[in-house]
Amino acid sequence: MMLTTTKCRAAAAWIRDIMMPANEKPWGLDPTPVAEVPDAYLRPLAAQIQAQAQKMQQQGEQVDMASLVENAREQIRQAVQEKADDAAKRHEDVVEDQLAEGGWDEAFEAFIDDFVTYPAAFLRAPILRRVPTLAWLEGWKPIKAETVRPEFERVSPFDLYPSPDATSIDDGAFIIERARFTRGQLNKMMGVGKDSGYNDEAIRRVLDQYGQGGLRDWLWTDGERAELEGRGHEWLTPGDTIDGLIYSGGAQGVTLLQWGINPNDIEDPLAEYEVEAILIGQHVIRVRINRDPLERRPYHKASFQPVPGSFWGQSIPELMADIQDVCNATARGLVNNLAISSGPQVEVYEDRLQPTEDPTDIYPWKIWRTKDSSITGNNRALNFFQPQSNAAELLSVYDKFESKADDATNIPRYIYGNENIGGAGDTARGLSMLMESANKGIKDAIRHIDRGVLRRVIEALWLHNMQYSDDESIKGDVAVVARGSSAMLIREQTHQLREQFLQLTTNDYDMGIIGHDGRRKLLESIAGKLDMPGLIPSEEQMQKNLAQQEEAQQKQAKIEQAKAEAEIGEKQARAKKYGADAGQTQADAAQTESETQVAQQMAPLEAQKLLAEIAKLVTETQGSPHGRTGLEGPGQTERVAGRKAPGGDDQAGARAMPGQPGAMPGRQ
């Protein structure tokens, strides 16, 4: 019923989703809590602190050596940690580039398929190979070049043979890999150099002996394996590949010296050395001492369910083998029962049938020719009856054991989209709780990949770069962190918590704590989850943007300040003008009041002066012979002369001066 295939396919997809995310990596390089750096980096710091102490002594300041030493120790610790952090980040970029160029994704994807199918899955890494690359000359002319880079390769479980005493990759006496080489691969091994361990003469003998017809050492399992892997035609066209054996294990120093290893690499002829050797036919084409300081072999293994004390573990097909057998038997019984109960069964009494009737020839609307019952007996010629169908009971048995497969493998049906969940799975909250419980089972399996493969591969790359890289900026005391079974499984929950945290910190108080850099990191992590790389600027770009914003704000502040100062000056000038006008008004008012007072004081004097002039004029008029002055015209004599007016009144004598009794107001 292919139930095992469904479980293996679902587990592989689940693990790929966790271990191979789009914009993340399930590993990292973090500096150790107490990082170590070379003394050459610490000497300038120590010299700087010593110079500071001498300067303080020369200036006559009292030097507290205990406090100075403690501060110096703290400064050195911080500087060392910053150096280690920077080196770890740079080294992460280098390792990520090596993984991308070395075919890590393809090898790891094939490894996951083996992991869910076979008792153990294997990766070989890193493999240093010369590969062709594209280079450019002046004028953008492409040329072919060669470079040595680390590569990664999946090893089939059918091709790896551990020693009988092995329980892991490194603790056994040896591990042998059955490999296949092409003529091109063997030709690339020549001329690499003595340090690589290849023997050019042995390679030439192999090419001379097996170069035309190839070499294929068939095993009894190869036929079935070729059928399972879709290569059944290999029996007819075996090809020109050359089989070889790659040996990783111990060898005595005497044997290595006899083979031709450099004596400088052998300290003790009787000691055991970890080597890697390649045997093709009767020719050893390579022997090389393992350069790993811890003598770890370049193979990495993980099992879905490890068995303590055993090299091989248990895979999903083994965990559910009995359940698969029961489901297959139930399905066969169901099919048989459906076939039997699909139509009626017929009982035939052949003595009553006519000789021309064929009881096996049954079709609709058939007419049966029978004999008389009195001759053959009182029996029916045909009896039809319907067999009982047990389909419902068999289906319930099948469903029961299919659900048992979920418990045996920790891969429930709702993980790969089966809608028939029932119970708590009918609600969104219940389904979330069920999936969280299922994560615990897959976490355990992924943890085996973290420990057995991912951490070992990254450590091997890190150690290779530490030994042979010319870039000193990437070298530092770091530890490999495998995040596959922890942070990657809860990344959705973490993403939701980050969004909530982003909303909670949108206030001035929290921004004062986390600052712009902390806010940038938070936004960068959320943008990465949303597959939006490059949206959030880097730290350097953010500092540049902040500097530009501050400069713009300062310019704007200066403009606003100039405007404010201009407005203040205008207001002050307007106020001064209003003050001057008010003062002039007050002065004019005071002057008017003073002039009024003077006029009031001078009025009696002017009046007296005027009266004196009038009296003088009257006197002169009275003394004139003609009774008038030269100022008077004709007809006006009567108004000023001492003549009697009509009515007999003497107007001149009757008029008096102002202020005198009997004075005329009009004349005044």
Side-chain angles (χ1 to χ4, degrees):
M1 292 304 293
M2 307 300 288
L3 182 61
T4 302
T5 302
T6 303
K7 293 293 184 183
C8 291
R9 189 166 57 245
W14 197 1
I15 294 174
R16 287 192 189 98
D17 184 50
I18 296 171
M19 301 295 293
M20 303 177 69
N23 296 319
E24 297 180 9
K25 52 182 182 291
W27 57 271
L29 294 177
D30 293 339
T32 56
V34 182
E36 297 181 4
V37 297
D39 294 339
Y41 177 76
L42 298 178
R43 290 193 192 100
L45 294 176
Q48 181 179 358
I49 296 172
Q50 186 176 3
Q52 181 181 0
Q54 292 178 355
K55 183 178 180 180
M56 294 174 62
Q57 291 178 353
Q58 292 175 359
Q59 293 177 354
E61 299 180 6
Q62 186 177 1
V63 180
D64 187 357
M65 293 305 298
S67 176
L68 186 62
V69 169
E70 184 65 26
N71 293 336
R73 185 177 301 168
E74 182 64 21
Q75 292 178 8
I76 292 176
R77 188 191 68 80
Q78 293 179 358
V80 167
Q81 205 65 28
E82 291 176 359
K83 170 70 175 177
D85 289 337
D86 185 62
K89 292 179 181 178
R90 293 175 180 271
H91 210 139
E92 270 192 13
D93 297 336
V94 173
V95 171
E96 190 171 5
D97 182 69
Q98 291 174 334
L99 292 174
E101 293 182 350
W104 166 259
D105 289 342
E106 295 79 3
F108 191 64
E109 190 169 353
F111 166 85
I112 292 175
D113 288 329
D114 292 343
F115 178 74
V116 300
T117 307
Y118 299 112
F122 301 93
L123 267 177
R124 186 178 179 212
I127 309 170
L128 298 179
R129 288 176 178 163
R130 286 193 308 167
V131 295
T133 58
L134 191 63
W136 299 91
L137 295 178
E138 187 177 357
W140 297 104
K141 295 181 179 180
I143 61 169
K144 179 182 177 181
E146 287 188 347
T147 183
V148 178
R149 71 184 184 195
E151 292 190 345
F152 311 90
E153 192 175 81
R154 166 252 182 187
V155 179
S156 173
F158 293 108
D159 290 332
L160 203 80
Y161 297 85
S163 61
D165 61 332
T167 59
S168 66
I169 291 292
D170 297 323
D171 68 345
F174 58 84
I175 286 179
I176 296 177
E177 178 191 353
R178 184 186 178 197
R180 296 174 179 84
F181 301 96
T182 63
R183 292 193 301 268
Q185 290 175 342
L186 293 175
N187 278 295
K188 288 181 179 180
M189 295 177 184
M190 293 189 298
V192 177
K194 294 183 179 180
D195 294 339
S196 62
Y198 288 104
N199 188 327
D200 293 352
E201 184 62 29
I203 295 174
R204 293 182 184 278
R205 289 197 296 266
V206 168
L207 291 173
D208 180 64
Q209 187 173 354
Y210 306 112
Q212 297 299 323
L215 173 63
R216 192 66 184 269
D217 294 329
W218 290 97
L219 301 179
W220 65 274
T221 58
D222 286 351
E224 184 178 359
R225 175 186 173 184
E227 290 290 341
L228 294 174
E229 294 179 351
R231 298 181 288 104
H233 60 279
E234 282 193 353
W235 289 95
L236 301 175
T237 56
D240 296 333
T241 57
I242 300 172
D243 282 3
L245 299 177
I246 301 176
Y247 171 87
S248 295
Q252 199 172 21
V254 175
T255 306
L256 298 176
L257 290 173
Q258 292 174 354
W259 192 84
I261 290 293
N262 189 351
N264 296 329
D265 297 334
I266 307 299
E267 298 179 358
D268 185 0
L270 300 180
E272 193 78 6
Y273 294 90
E274 188 72 21
V275 300
E276 179 181 313
I278 300 177
L279 173 67
I280 298 178
Q282 300 297 322
H283 309 286
V284 178
I285 66 171
R286 186 192 191 195
V287 174
R288 180 177 180 270
I289 296 178
N290 191 347
R291 300 300 182 184
D292 192 299
L294 302 179
E295 295 185 346
R296 291 173 293 193
R297 294 165 183 166
Y299 294 94
H300 316 282
K301 174 184 77 76
S303 298
F304 188 86
Q305 183 64 51
V307 176
S310 174
F311 184 85
W312 304 95
Q314 288 183 316
S315 60
I316 293 177
E318 291 180 283
L319 293 173
M320 59 176 299
D322 53 348
I323 298 174
Q324 180 70 76
D325 292 341
V326 172
C327 289
N328 290 342
T330 304
R332 287 193 298 269
L334 175 63
V335 172
N336 292 333
N337 181 256
L338 289 173
I340 293 174
S341 62
S342 62
Q345 297 289 318
V346 184
E347 179 186 3
V348 180
Y349 188 48
E350 292 186 356
D351 291 341
R352 290 200 59 186
L353 294 178
Q354 293 290 343
T356 58
E357 291 291 340
D358 183 6
T360 61
D361 185 16
I362 301 177
Y363 53 86
W365 300 98
K366 181 177 180 180
I367 299 175
W368 297 87
R369 295 175 177 84
T370 62
K371 298 177 181 179
D372 186 6
S373 61
S374 61
I375 299 174
T376 59
N378 192 17
N379 294 318
R380 297 182 61 182
L382 299 171
N383 286 322
F384 293 89
F385 61 92
Q386 179 66 38
Q388 182 180 357
S389 174
N390 298 322
E393 185 176 355
L394 291 172
L395 284 174
S396 65
V397 173
Y398 185 88
D399 291 339
K400 183 68 175 179
F401 278 91
E402 186 182 14
S403 62
K404 285 290 184 182
D406 297 352
D407 300 333
T409 59
N410 288 325
I411 304 172
R413 286 172 288 178
Y414 50 79
I415 289 298
Y416 47 89
N418 194 315
E419 71 278 2
N420 297 323
I421 304 172
D426 291 339
T427 63
R429 178 62 178 171
L431 181 60
S432 177
M433 295 174 63
L434 289 175
M435 294 185 68
E436 181 64 26
S437 299
N439 285 343
K440 296 178 181 178
I442 203 67
K443 274 183 183 179
D444 193 44
I446 294 177
R447 193 176 296 113
H448 303 152
I449 299 177
D450 286 344
R451 290 199 299 258
V453 177
L454 194 59
R455 183 179 294 137
R456 285 172 56 95
V457 170
I458 303 302
E459 284 180 353
L461 283 175
W462 167 75
L463 186 58
H464 171 77
N465 295 331
M466 290 289 291
Q467 288 179 305
Y468 302 109
S469 177
D470 296 331
D471 188 0
E472 296 295 331
S473 65
I474 67 172
K475 298 182 179 181
D477 186 15
V478 301
V480 178
V481 180
R483 308 188 182 102
S485 60
S486 55
M488 303 304 296
L489 279 174
I490 59 174
R491 62 177 182 269
E492 295 298 332
Q493 181 180 2
T494 304
H495 179 56
Q496 295 177 1
L497 294 177
R498 284 173 179 169
E499 290 183 347
Q500 295 177 4
F501 182 74
L502 184 65
Q503 296 176 359
L504 291 175
T505 55
T506 55
N507 57 77
D508 296 338
Y509 183 78
D510 292 338
M511 280 297 298
I513 297 176
I514 64 177
H516 290 88
D517 187 56
R519 191 75 173 180
R520 185 196 66 81
K521 292 179 180 178
L522 182 59
L523 292 173
E524 185 178 24
S525 63
I526 295 177
K529 292 292 183 181
L530 298 176
D531 196 11
M532 301 167 64
L535 177 64
I536 306 302
S538 62
E539 185 175 357
E540 294 79 7
Q541 184 64 32
M542 188 192 72
Q543 297 296 337
K544 184 178 179 180
N545 294 341
L546 289 176
Q548 293 177 354
Q549 291 178 3
E550 290 179 359
E551 183 178 358
Q553 290 176 358
Q554 291 177 359
K555 290 182 179 179
Q556 185 66 25
K558 290 181 179 179
I559 294 174
E560 293 180 355
Q561 184 178 1
K563 289 182 178 179
E565 291 177 353
E567 291 179 357
I568 293 174
E570 183 178 356
K571 290 180 180 179
Q572 290 178 353
R574 192 180 300 121
K576 290 180 179 179
K577 181 179 179 181
Y578 291 160
D581 294 344
Q584 183 66 32
T585 303
Q586 293 177 357
D588 294 344
Q591 183 178 0
T592 303
E593 183 178 0
S594 176
E595 291 177 352
T596 303
Q597 293 177 358
V598 171
Q600 291 177 355
Q601 293 176 1
M602 292 297 295
L605 298 178
E606 292 292 336
Q608 292 177 4
K609 183 178 179 181
L610 179 60
L611 292 176
E613 291 179 354
I614 293 173
K616 182 179 178 182
L617 180 61
V618 171
T619 303
E620 292 177 353
T621 302
Q622 291 177 353
S624 175
H626 301 287
R628 59 177 184 181
T629 64
L631 296 177
E632 295 170 349
Q636 293 182 348
T637 305
E638 293 181 358
R639 290 184 295 171
V640 295
R643 295 174 65 184
K644 293 183 180 179
D649 293 332
D650 189 357
Q651 295 291 335
R655 294 174 182 168
M657 298 305 296
Q660 295 180 357
M664 295 191 313
R667 186 60 180 170
Q668 179 186 355

